[in-house]
């Protein structure tokens, strides 16, 4: 989708791949099909593990984690009465109620994203840049352990809902130019606006089946920290807007995007 970013030092590349099997979910259990993939890949210089929504293949180089591939396993049978795709969830040993075929729409998700600003190359490019900025910000500012860090798909869904084109008028030539700073700050504020004053939580749903809340795994405390850091992020962007000196602005942005943010 053009929104991937490089991982931070000591983190590895995260690659998502969907495997669609032409079979009926009524003929095989989700764990049985996941075992096919697990056993086929459990060889060579890699480790394979079951995750609830996928099978993860971890590749190594010189004893260090290089990248991993999350393989989501789907069942699709054109002869099914509902003509739907289902995602295999669960792993061996998990409770029976957690071993399920969950309705999904991986193609619809990609199509939904690609329709955004279709035929508007400049707008689409800014849309993708803003998502990449936010992904970098969340990687720098949240631990990868547990559920404190928002997922990439949650960030993408936020942008799909609340992103607005940012432009700035240049008085010297009378033209409008894309302004990523304004667009990014406005999106951060739009996400902050989604927090409920009573519960202190926000939600954003996957735009296709199963339309689950992509922030549901965050605890109340993690949600509180997420909002607080979003507000600090917005304030830093506002400070950059008011700063004339480019070097000073870059140092501010280094604090939110990491030390490798350029200063020249």
């Amino acid at each position: 989708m053009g929104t991937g970013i490089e991982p931070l030092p000591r983190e590895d590349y995260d690659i998502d791949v969907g495997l669609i099997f032409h079979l009926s979910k009524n003929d095989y259990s989700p764990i049985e099909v996941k075992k096919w993939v697990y056993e086929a890949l459990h060889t060579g210089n890699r480790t394979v593990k079951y995750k609830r929504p996928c099978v993860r293949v971890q590749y190594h180089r010189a004893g260090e984690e290089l990248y991993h591939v999350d393989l989501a396993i789907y069942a699709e049978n054109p002869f099914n009465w509902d003509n739907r795709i289902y995602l295999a969830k669960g792993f061996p040993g998990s409770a029976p109620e957690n071993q399920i075929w969950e309705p999904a729409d991986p193609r619809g998700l990609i199509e939904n994203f690609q329709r955004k600003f279709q035929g508007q190359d400049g707008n689409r490019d800014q849309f993708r840049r803003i998502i990449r900025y936010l992904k970098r910000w969340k990687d720098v500012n949240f631990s990868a352990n547990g559920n404190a860090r928002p997922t990439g798909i949650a960030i993408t869904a936020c942008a799909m809902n609340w992103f607005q084109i940012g432009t700035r008028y240049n008085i010297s030539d009378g033209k409008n130019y894309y302004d990523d700073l304004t667009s990014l700050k406005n999106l951060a504020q739009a996400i902050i606006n989604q927090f409920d004053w009573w519960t202190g939580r926000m939600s954003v749903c996957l735009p296709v089946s199963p339309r689950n809340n992509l922030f549901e795994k965050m605890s109340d405390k993690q949600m509180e920290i997420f909002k607080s850091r979003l507000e600090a992020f917005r304030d830093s962007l506002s400070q950059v807007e008011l700063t004339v000196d480019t070097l000073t602005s870059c140092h501010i942005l280094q604090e939110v995007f990491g030390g490798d943010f350029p200063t020249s």
Side-chain angles (χ1 to χ4, degrees):
M1 295 193 292
T3 60
I5 61 171
E6 290 189 7
L8 298 177
R10 295 178 298 280
E11 294 188 14
D12 63 339
Y13 282 93
D14 177 7
I15 302 169
D16 297 320
V17 176
L19 295 180
I20 298 179
F21 287 87
H22 287 184
L23 54 84
S24 171
K25 68 182 181 65
N26 297 320
D27 294 336
Y28 303 92
S29 75
I31 306 307
E32 184 177 4
V33 179
K34 291 179 88 168
K35 279 184 177 179
W36 298 345
V37 177
Y38 179 92
E39 292 172 358
L41 293 170
H42 202 272
T43 181
N45 186 32
R46 57 195 175 197
T47 56
V48 186
K49 64 174 68 174
Y50 291 101
K51 306 285 285 185
R52 187 163 189 263
C54 64
V55 173
R56 175 169 293 181
V57 186
Q58 181 73 61
Y59 291 86
H60 305 266
R61 176 184 291 168
E64 294 188 358
E65 294 181 347
L66 183 62
Y67 65 92
H68 69 263
V69 181
D70 286 335
L71 297 161
I73 315 301
Y74 298 96
E76 178 183 43
N77 188 335
F79 301 106
N80 281 345
W81 68 271
D82 59 1
N83 198 31
R84 300 183 73 175
I85 298 177
Y86 291 85
L87 172 66
K89 301 195 77 171
F91 47 85
S94 58
E97 62 268 22
N98 293 326
Q99 300 182 25
I100 61 172
W101 285 109
E102 181 179 78
D105 188 6
R107 295 192 188 97
L109 178 61
I110 294 173
E111 291 167 359
N112 194 305
F113 181 87
Q114 291 177 338
R115 281 195 298 268
K116 197 79 172 175
F117 304 112
Q118 190 169 15
Q120 306 172 47
D121 291 347
N123 292 351
R124 176 181 286 182
D125 288 345
Q126 186 181 63
F127 174 59
R128 287 172 168 161
R129 288 195 303 273
I130 296 304
I131 293 173
R132 292 197 294 268
Y133 297 146
L134 268 179
K135 284 185 175 182
R136 176 66 175 194
W137 167 78
K138 60 99 173 171
D139 282 359
V140 169
N141 289 275
F142 297 90
S143 169
N145 298 321
N147 299 313
R149 178 186 287 179
T151 62
I153 188 61
I155 293 296
T156 301
C158 286
M160 291 177 72
N161 278 282
W162 305 304
F163 166 82
Q164 292 183 339
I165 298 296
T167 60
R168 185 180 297 275
Y169 179 74
N170 188 327
I171 194 171
S172 64
D173 61 9
K175 295 181 180 180
N176 282 312
Y177 292 89
Y178 286 105
D179 182 356
D180 288 2
L181 180 63
T182 296
S183 181
L184 184 58
K185 187 190 74 171
N186 289 344
L187 179 55
Q189 182 62 60
I191 298 172
I192 292 167
N193 292 344
Q194 306 309 310
F195 282 82
D196 183 86
W197 69 272
W198 179 256
T199 65
R201 298 186 65 85
M202 68 154 292
S203 65
V204 65
C205 293
L206 192 70
V208 297
S209 186
R211 301 188 184 279
N212 55 303
N213 175 13
L214 298 170
F215 287 103
E216 63 186 351
K217 291 184 179 180
M218 273 192 180
S219 68
D220 289 346
K221 184 62 177 179
Q222 289 169 339
M223 190 65 70
E224 179 185 343
I225 293 171
F226 177 44
K227 182 183 180 184
S228 174
R229 292 182 183 173
L230 266 174
E231 290 170 335
F233 180 48
R234 174 207 58 198
D235 292 345
S236 293
L237 297 177
S238 296
Q239 186 179 356
V240 170
E241 277 188 319
L242 299 174
T243 302
V244 176
D245 181 66
T246 301
L247 183 59
T248 301
S249 295
C250 289
H251 284 310
I252 295 171
L253 293 173
Q254 274 190 335
E255 294 180 7
V256 294
F257 292 125
D260 57 349
F261 188 88
T263 56
S264 61

